Amino acid sequence: LIEIKRQGYQHWALCVGDGYVIHVTAAGKAAGKTPHTSGSRRAWVKKEPLKEVVENDEWYVFNKYDWYHVPFPVEEIVRRAEHWIDKGVPYRLLLRNCEHFVTTLRYGDAISFQVSAP
């Protein structure tokens, strides 16, 4: 999991190798523009170079849920992620955001402390 520190929130992506990530983004927007900043209720899954998604923001590899969720094998995670490329998915900031998307791919569970933390 890649955590990208945006101003006021974190964007999440899934590293799939060779400098690429898979993530949800607003339809018709530039790389890394999240649906919640566009007001959209739909997101598109894209495979893009990490450098384009990150832009000038700080980012980290952060598999923060591994301590209590067992991730799928890497090949399975990538296969699951690639299935969604160029497909639209429902997007709700509090229920189906970018972190929910990547944690579902990695663990099979949609997790986002970003929206469930007090």
Side-chain angles (χ1 to χ4, degrees):
L1 301 178
I2 304 292
E3 179 183 25
I4 303 163
K5 299 283 188 177
R6 302 282 196 226
Q7 188 168 348
Y9 69 99
Q10 294 85 40
H11 181 57
W12 289 86
L14 182 76
C15 180
V16 292
D18 295 325
Y20 281 85
V21 295
I22 293 176
H23 69 119
V24 296
T25 188
K29 301 289 181 182
K33 301 303 179 198
T34 56
H36 83 269
T37 59
S38 70
S40 176
R41 290 184 176 246
R42 195 112 180 111
W44 294 97
V45 178
K46 295 291 180 186
K47 181 177 181 180
E48 298 178 298
L50 175 62
K51 288 181 179 183
E52 289 180 21
V53 175
V54 169
E55 297 173 331
N56 294 321
D57 294 322
E58 292 182 37
W59 64 276
Y60 309 90
V61 174
F62 192 18
N63 299 317
K64 67 181 183 177
Y65 303 111
D66 281 10
W67 62 275
Y68 71 95
H69 282 285
V70 177
F72 290 113
V74 172
E75 299 80 16
E76 175 72 6
I77 296 168
V78 172
R79 185 191 64 72
R80 291 162 54 92
E82 288 178 340
H83 166 79
W84 289 102
I85 294 172
D86 294 329
K87 294 182 181 175
V89 294
Y91 184 91
R92 301 288 186 276
L93 179 60
L94 300 178
L95 301 173
R96 292 185 172 187
N97 65 35
C98 56
E99 188 175 12
H100 289 114
F101 178 75
V102 297
T103 58
T104 298
L105 296 172
R106 184 169 176 82
Y107 308 109
D109 292 318
I111 310 163
S112 178
F113 285 168
Q114 180 172 214
V115 295
S116 63

